[in-house]
Amino acid sequence: MGSYKASSLSIAVLFVLLVLACSPHKAHAGDGWDFTLGGGIFRANVYSGSNDYYVVPAPVVRVSYGMGDVSFSLSLPEGLGISYFNQEKGLIGSLTVGLNGEERDSQEYSVLGIVKDHSPRTKKLLLDTPTASAPVSYDAAIGFQALKGMIGGSIRYYPTSLDYQLVGQEDTDYQGLLYSLFYSTNRSLTEKLSFSAMLGVEYMNQDYADAWYTVLFPTVELDAFDADAGLRDAMFSLQVSRAFSEKVEVSLLVAGNLLLADAGKSPYTVERFQPSTLIYAVYKF
């Protein structure tokens, strides 16, 4: 999806889209090629923990090729992926390379490859802080059918670099990891109306905490803060879809993260609750 680096489409939204794309009701309609093309409007915060947000047009593109229980896909916003679905055993697995990235810059943010300046209040807050950047993420997820839905988990790897602005502050690389547990479910309300919902929690390792929530060098606005590994957030999503034909569908996706523990206490975090909204239409052929 170009570059949603401001908040990586928000971690919650990306993860929700991955889970729902691999859900039993939508996995592997058959062998061969499937194409989905569409677009909509997306709203998210400029970085995770910010109280500023942006609203942008959002392309939705997915190309997949199925072979029995296995399918390969290239999609925006999800990236490159391979998924496995065994209906008899109720087992789903996926590997994904997310190409959208995540970034927190003190002066600007990038959306769809377009660079925009932060608001004066965000620039003031982030003055003299390092640029945190994870251009690519890697995700492995597994799920099992249970409780009329899907229970599962994932491990997401964020190789992150911190580039400092001031003399005497050394750049550092981190091997960030997020571990997720989730429950998702899909229901058909009518022949053409359906909804999907998800609840989950995420745990961050020490490198992720250091890269994104620790303040190693205090600034005028931010006190020093040593973030520990632990719970990062609780997350949810709700998606409602209306099919107008076998090929045309309109959906509304609402998702959110509640930053917890040291992720919520970090000086970088101005707002603990981070909502995201995506409304889009797609054509399948």
Side-chain angles (χ1 to χ4, degrees):
M1 196 179 282
S3 177
Y4 275 108
K5 286 190 175 180
S7 65
S8 12
L9 240 189
S10 119
I11 292 173
V13 172
L14 273 178
F15 186 64
V16 170
L17 290 174
L18 171 65
V19 171
L20 297 182
C22 294
S23 64
H25 297 276
K26 298 186 178 182
H28 307 314
D31 292 345
W33 292 97
D34 283 306
F35 300 90
T36 300
L37 181 64
I41 301 295
F42 179 67
R43 184 266 191 209
N45 296 77
V46 296
Y47 73 85
S48 180
S50 175
N51 59 348
D52 283 334
Y53 66 91
Y54 60 87
V55 179
V56 295
V60 178
V61 181
R62 181 179 176 86
V63 179
S64 64
Y65 183 78
M67 297 186 302
D69 292 342
V70 178
S71 73
F72 304 87
S73 65
L74 171 61
S75 67
L76 303 174
E78 294 156 306
L80 296 168
I82 178 173
S83 60
Y84 170 83
F85 174 51
N86 187 305
Q87 188 168 10
E88 182 179 344
K89 296 181 180 180
L91 173 65
I92 289 175
S94 67
L95 298 172
T96 305
V97 180
L99 305 177
N100 54 292
E102 184 172 4
E103 186 175 77
R104 183 185 61 230
D105 187 283
S106 62
Q107 296 295 315
E108 59 194 24
Y109 63 98
S110 174
V111 182
L112 293 173
I114 300 173
V115 176
K116 299 184 177 182
D117 286 341
H118 281 307
S119 69
R121 66 179 178 181
T122 296
K123 283 185 178 181
K124 182 180 179 182
L125 177 74
L126 299 180
L127 180 66
D128 293 334
T129 63
T131 295
S133 179
V136 180
S137 63
Y138 305 87
D139 185 281
I142 189 170
F144 302 89
Q145 291 182 4
L147 302 176
K148 297 182 179 180
M150 183 70 54
I151 295 176
S154 81
I155 300 175
R156 198 174 306 110
Y157 170 51
Y158 285 90
T160 306
S161 62
L162 252 61
D163 298 327
Y164 286 90
Q165 313 299 318
L166 303 181
V167 176
Q169 301 177 355
E170 294 186 5
D171 296 345
T172 311
D173 294 327
Y174 294 95
Q175 311 306 313
L177 291 172
L178 286 178
Y179 307 91
S180 304
L181 294 174
F182 67 86
Y183 170 77
S184 67
T185 185
N186 299 311
R187 292 288 184 273
S188 295
L189 301 176
T190 67
E191 184 178 345
K192 295 185 177 182
L193 187 65
S194 63
F195 81 92
S196 305
M198 186 276 293
L199 293 172
V201 293
E202 291 186 305
Y203 176 95
M204 60 184 176
N205 74 342
Q206 188 60 56
D207 267 23
Y208 192 95
D210 287 340
W212 296 99
Y213 297 110
T214 288
V215 180
L216 185 59
F217 301 102
T219 69
V220 173
E221 294 293 325
L222 305 182
D223 295 330
F225 183 78
D226 186 12
D228 290 328
L231 281 175
R232 178 189 181 272
D233 65 87
M235 55 188 178
F236 78 93
S237 77
L238 177 64
Q239 177 170 298
V240 179
S241 299
R242 171 67 158 85
F244 290 90
S245 69
E246 291 184 358
K247 297 182 179 294
V248 178
E249 185 175 271
V250 175
S251 297
L252 171 64
L253 172 64
V254 179
N257 302 65
L258 179 62
L259 297 173
L260 302 173
D262 281 358
K265 297 175 185 176
S266 171
Y268 285 116
T269 300
V270 183
E271 292 287 348
R272 293 177 60 202
F273 180 64
Q274 299 284 285
S276 301
T277 305
L278 175 64
I279 182 169
Y280 64 100
V282 295
Y283 181 80
K284 304 173 185 178
F285 55 96

